Amino acid sequence: MTTAASTPASAASATTTSATSISASVTPASATRTRPRRTPDWRLRFVVLSLIWGFSFLLIKVGTEGYAPFQVTLGRLAFGTAVLAVAMAVKRERLPRGARTWGHLTVAALLLNALPFSLFAYAELTIPSTLAGICNATSPLWGMALSLVALSEDRPTRVRVAGLGLGFLGVLTVLGAWQGFDGLDGRGTALALLASLSYPIGWIYVRRTLAGTGSSALSTTGAQLLLATVQLAVVTPLFTSFPSSFPLVPLLAIAALGALGTGFALLIQYGLVTEVGPTTAQMVTYFIPVIATAAGVLLLGESLSWSTPVGAVIVLAGAALTQVRGKR
């Protein structure tokens, strides 16, 4: 769900990725006055974005019921890239230029798209989509921990350190640590947590290398998804065989995951960041695990123990505290 040009809500410590810094190429005010566009209220778009990203984990689960995880990821990236390609064509935007920029985008595509998308797909072979959605909510915690080391300007405060500790206490609650993680698939959970860790690593890399390139958020993200698609197109045939059949429901889930959850959702977020700012847009992160849990329980019949929602609330509370900034 994350790209170099658009920080998803789960960005906490690495709060401003090239998403907001690159999107300096916003339409001038004069052009907006001469050609006003009617768009739905930002609150409605915020709700739609929360629903799309919240249901993404259900769609991954359904997709893996008919296709291999790498195939799910490849389809997701291909459909997402197609949506952004259409948007770029409509707005007449070109891909970024410069070998150095494309080199950095290749790394960003791996860390922010190809790797985490694949890890979540493999994780959901053995863990419920509800747990995957909650693991995704740990990204702000990883992000703060990493930024304290990698970003010298990101100073720790007592409140933020307390949030970090509280968040990881919530993770232990979700996993049922006092029961010795009984009944939990350790491998699948570890893959989901690694996926959530990959996002802040990618954000920090993007912040150091791609901020201020002069390219628009849309063109940068389109290039990044294109590169991630190429990466999966190379890897997938090496580890999977061509499907002997094409189950319709999983295929539709992959198409929705890519077109809506990866392509259309990013376009919505561009508008939100531009209109209400990155801080408000990032609040979507607190709704994603709630929606993912509700979708998994109600539509997939996944079981839910008391520790899962309680731990999720603790995780989100800790993540919120990690975003509290001290007075300058």
Side-chain angles (χ1 to χ4, degrees), residues 168-202:
F168 284 112
L169 177 62
V171 174
L172 294 177
T173 303
V174 171
L175 303 182
W178 65 91
Q179 299 175 334
F181 308 107
D182 185 38
L184 183 73
D185 183 80
R187 179 176 175 273
T189 305
L191 291 177
L193 290 173
L194 283 174
S196 68
L197 172 61
S198 180
Y199 288 133
I201 293 175

Side-chain angles (χ1 to χ4, degrees), residues 40 53 61 70 75 95 103 166 174 188 197 211 218 252 321:
W53 275 342
K61 190 74 171 179
F70 274 140
L95 291 172
L166 182 64
V174 171
L197 172 61
L218 178 58
L252 292 176
L321 290 177

Side-chain angles (χ1 to χ4, degrees), residues 10 30 61 69 99 111 123 163 172 190 237 241 245 296 308 314 324:
S10 31
S30 58
K61 190 74 171 179
L111 295 174
L172 294 177
S241 57
S245 61
T308 302
I314 298 174
V324 175

Side-chain angles (χ1 to χ4, degrees), residues 225-242:
L225 287 185
L226 175 62
L227 288 168
T229 304
V230 172
Q231 291 170 356
L232 261 294
V234 172
V235 171
T236 300
L238 300 178
F239 295 93
T240 64
S241 57
F242 192 80

Side-chain angles (χ1 to χ4, degrees), residues 70-81:
F70 274 140
Q71 293 169 345
V72 172
T73 304
L74 175 58
R76 174 183 187 175
L77 289 168
F79 281 108
T81 302

